[in-house]
Amino acid sequence: MQVPVAELGDTDTRRRLALAALVGANLLPLVGVLLWGWDVGALVVLYWSENLIIGAYTLVKMLVASPLGGLFGGVFFLIHYGGFCAVHGMLVLMLAVEQQPHVLEGERWPSFLVFVQLLIDVVRQVLSIAPSEWLVVFGALAVSHGLSLALNYFAGGEYRGETVKSLMMAPYKRILILHFAIILGGIGVGALGSPLPLLVLLVSLKLVVDVWLHRREHRTSAARAEVSSTAASS
């Protein structure tokens, strides 16, 4: 599907802008650690919440790749990915924040929609314990991923060659790689009483892994788009 988006400068410029936004948003948690007194629980909860942003933008990508297929695939993705993030969030609450998750305490939603209900319950609990400044950093992460979507996916033409299936699987790969490291690191930092140097190290670890994943993802998407454009013009 062709999307009429004007070119926003050359490819290198777009990628540098998107990467700069990513780095800037990932440095903001340092402000939380150094000035706002965030502990390891606040950091891990913030990084978990970033999965919700990625899931929302993935739905947009799926609808662009195939409006009809993306609609049906998006419903499946919302239920499956929502349940996946909910269970992940419950683990974060128990391991990093040492809180018992309070979920599904009212009337349960029908059938598979219970997974969406589960996610909503986890999000509500996270919001109830998150620091007041947390929403500022969450917003910065949302803007960063939104800029990447505009600059790389649309203006950079990465939507070419993407399929609903490939888009649907991408967030899971990120969670498995990034959050495995974050949760293990968070448990270690918390066990030592959340000393400041280790909190800074945890933020730095997340930044380095995130930049690596970002560059790898967009190299793959750009290569796929180039192959698709070549095949279409031949």
Side-chain angles (χ1 to χ4, degrees):
M1 175 183 179
Q2 295 293 324
V3 178
V5 180
E7 293 293 327
L8 296 179
D10 58 71
T11 300
D12 288 340
T13 300
R14 286 193 303 271
R15 288 180 178 174
R16 283 195 295 267
L17 286 172
L19 186 59
L22 174 71
V23 172
N26 273 279
L27 288 176
L28 280 178
L30 280 179
V31 179
V33 169
L34 298 174
L35 298 182
W36 298 330
W38 287 10
D39 60 8
V40 66
L43 285 176
V44 176
V45 165
L46 174 71
Y47 294 148
W48 167 81
S49 70
E50 192 176 4
N51 295 324
L52 307 180
I53 299 170
I54 293 171
Y57 286 134
T58 298
L59 285 173
V60 173
K61 292 179 179 180
M62 290 167 64
L63 290 171
V64 169
S66 173
L68 185 58
L71 181 61
F72 287 100
V75 172
F76 174 81
F77 177 77
L78 179 62
I79 294 172
H80 191 275
Y81 184 75
F84 185 83
C85 285
V87 174
H88 184 194
M90 291 169 63
L91 289 174
V92 166
L93 287 172
M94 289 188 292
L95 297 177
V97 189
E98 297 183 353
Q99 277 207 9
Q100 186 65 30
H102 302 293
V103 296
L104 304 180
E105 294 181 338
E107 183 178 352
R108 296 193 179 187
W109 293 8
S111 190
F112 296 111
L113 290 178
V114 72
F115 294 112
V116 180
Q117 181 188 13
L118 185 65
L119 178 62
I120 292 173
D121 287 347
V122 173
V123 170
R124 284 175 178 167
Q125 187 167 351
V126 165
L127 288 174
S128 71
I129 64 172
S132 57
E133 304 88 357
W134 181 87
L135 287 177
V136 176
V137 185
F138 179 83
L141 290 170
V143 170
S144 167
H145 286 284
L147 280 175
S148 180
L149 178 72
L151 295 172
N152 292 316
Y153 190 76
F154 290 123
E158 290 183 3
Y159 59 87
R160 303 185 186 96
E162 291 285 10
T163 65
V164 171
K165 182 178 179 180
S166 66
L167 291 168
M168 190 183 300
M169 295 303 299
Y172 295 97
K173 298 175 183 178
R174 180 186 183 277
I175 290 176
L176 291 175
I177 295 174
L178 180 59
H179 285 269
F180 179 77
I182 288 176
I183 289 178
L184 284 183
I187 291 172
V189 173
L192 296 174
S194 296
L196 182 61
L198 290 183
L199 290 174
V200 173
L201 182 62
L202 183 62
V203 174
S204 302
L205 170 66
K206 197 268 184 180
L207 172 59
V208 170
V209 177
D210 219 6
V211 168
W212 173 69
L213 287 172
H214 173 87
R215 298 185 70 174
R216 189 185 73 164
E217 174 190 347
H218 291 293
R219 279 198 303 267
T220 302
S221 296
R224 189 183 295 121
E226 185 177 354
V227 170
S228 178
S229 296
T230 303
S233 60
S234 62

